[in-house]
Amino acid sequence: MLISVWPNHWGRPARSNATMAAAAVVLMLTLASLSTLLSWLPEPIGPNAAQFSQGARTTLWLTLWSGSIGVVLGVVAALGRTSRHLVLRQIASFYIWVIRGTPLLVQVLFVYFALPVLVPGMDLPDFASAVVALSLNVGAYNAEAVRAGLLAIPRGQTEAARALGLGRHHVFMDVVFPQAFKISLPALVSNFVALMKDSSLAYAIGVVELTNVGNRIQAQTFQPIPTLATTACIYLLLTTLMTQFSNAIEYKVDVEGRQK
């Protein structure tokens, strides 16, 4: 029986590398030039271009930090969920159950207001609190995606690897997890892109991200249509660039198995 491992030609598709590089460059150029581009627009956008630009940067940083931590939490929770140890399964199941069963806004408010009361010394600033809440949230959804990938691996793969004399650690790291990660990658990418939009809920605890900036400006100028339309367009631009980058990652690891 054949055993799939990490691709020997991980960086083989030059097209995917070029797409990822282009998306990253365009994203950086967009953030760098966003203030200048918006400054050409009439009121109330032009005079507040710098605020929109800073809000977009904060949104991106929230997404990158929370998404990265969320992937790690998702893998750990998925391993706990599929563990042979009852205690680990129960802890992971409880975490996933609570996070998936409660609104993200409530989680953000809980981390910011309630956590310092429950755990003295955990009085985090607004940005750090938002990162913790968003990470815990996306981590629970990532856990189910990774768990689905782990359960999708045929049992024969593990049996064949052990028959070849591989230890349990090598079986998991070299045979099971690479395939499971490849299967779960589309869902992980989707969660990451959705996280950028979910980060807008950080406005509830005072994080000056893109949605917060839009709300403040429309409240000051009493012009909700151009302000919120600009906010939506910036979100659309950021999510489009992130989607292009994530699509290139999927193509790089050949998720659909089209490369020969």
Side-chain angles (χ1 to χ4, degrees), residues 169-223:
H169 174 75
H170 289 289
V171 170
F172 178 79
M173 294 302 299
D174 297 335
V175 178
V176 177
F177 185 72
Q179 297 179 82
F181 183 81
K182 183 176 180 179
I183 294 172
S184 60
L185 185 58
L188 295 177
V189 167
S190 178
N191 291 341
F192 192 88
V193 174
L195 179 64
M196 177 169 286
K197 295 177 291 183
D198 292 339
S199 67
S200 61
L201 294 178
Y203 85 93
I205 57 175
V207 179
V208 189
E209 42 73 57
L210 188 55
T211 298
N212 197 332
V213 169
N215 284 337
R216 290 184 179 186
I217 294 175
Q218 69 90 15
Q220 294 170 0
T221 62
F222 300 101
Q223 299 186 53

Side-chain angles (χ1 to χ4, degrees), residues 81-82 144-155 176 180 183:
R81 187 78 168 78
T82 57
E144 290 297 271
V146 175
R147 184 173 74 94
L150 291 172
L151 295 178
I153 305 303
R155 188 176 183 85
V176 177
I183 294 172

Side-chain angles (χ1 to χ4, degrees), residues 77 80-81 87-99:
R81 187 78 168 78
V87 175
L88 293 179
R89 290 202 309 271
Q90 290 180 337
I91 293 175
S93 298
F94 179 78
Y95 159 65
I96 296 171
W97 171 64
V98 170
I99 296 299

Side-chain angles (χ1 to χ4, degrees), residues 32-244:
S33 60
L34 186 60
S35 179
T36 301
L37 295 174
L38 293 178
S39 65
W40 291 92
L41 297 177
E43 294 186 357
I45 308 305
N48 298 290
Q51 295 186 55
F52 278 109
S53 179
Q54 183 59 42
R57 290 190 180 93
T58 302
T59 292
L60 182 61
W61 279 115
L62 273 175
T63 304
L64 293 177
W65 275 106
S66 303
S68 300
I69 298 173
V71 170
V72 177
L73 288 176
V75 172
V76 173
L79 295 179
R81 187 78 168 78
T82 57
S83 174
R84 296 181 177 180
H85 301 285
L86 178 61
V87 175
L88 293 179
R89 290 202 309 271
Q90 290 180 337
I91 293 175
S93 298
F94 179 78
Y95 159 65
I96 296 171
W97 171 64
V98 170
I99 296 299
R100 288 169 60 93
T102 56
L104 175 55
L105 180 58
V106 174
Q107 297 166 19
V108 172
L109 295 174
F110 184 90
V111 171
Y112 187 68
F113 292 109
L115 189 60
V117 178
L118 297 175
V119 184
M122 287 293 291
D123 190 7
L124 301 175
D126 51 10
F127 184 88
S129 296
V131 169
V132 171
L134 292 171
S135 300
L136 290 172
N137 183 271
V138 74
Y141 289 91
N142 288 342
E144 290 297 271
V146 175
R147 184 173 74 94
L150 291 172
L151 295 178
I153 305 303
R155 188 176 183 85
Q157 295 279 338
T158 303
E159 295 174 350
R162 290 179 179 176
L164 293 175
L166 294 180
R168 179 175 299 177
H169 174 75
H170 289 289
V171 170
F172 178 79
M173 294 302 299
D174 297 335
V175 178
V176 177
F177 185 72
Q179 297 179 82
F181 183 81
K182 183 176 180 179
I183 294 172
S184 60
L185 185 58
L188 295 177
V189 167
S190 178
N191 291 341
F192 192 88
V193 174
L195 179 64
M196 177 169 286
K197 295 177 291 183
D198 292 339
S199 67
S200 61
L201 294 178
Y203 85 93
I205 57 175
V207 179
V208 189
E209 42 73 57
L210 188 55
T211 298
N212 197 332
V213 169
N215 284 337
R216 290 184 179 186
I217 294 175
Q218 69 90 15
Q220 294 170 0
T221 62
F222 300 101
Q223 299 186 53
I225 295 179
T227 303
L228 297 180
T230 301
T231 302
C233 288
I234 295 175
Y235 271 115
L236 183 60
L237 177 61
L238 294 177
T239 54
T240 299
L241 293 174
M242 292 296 295
T243 301
Q244 292 298 317

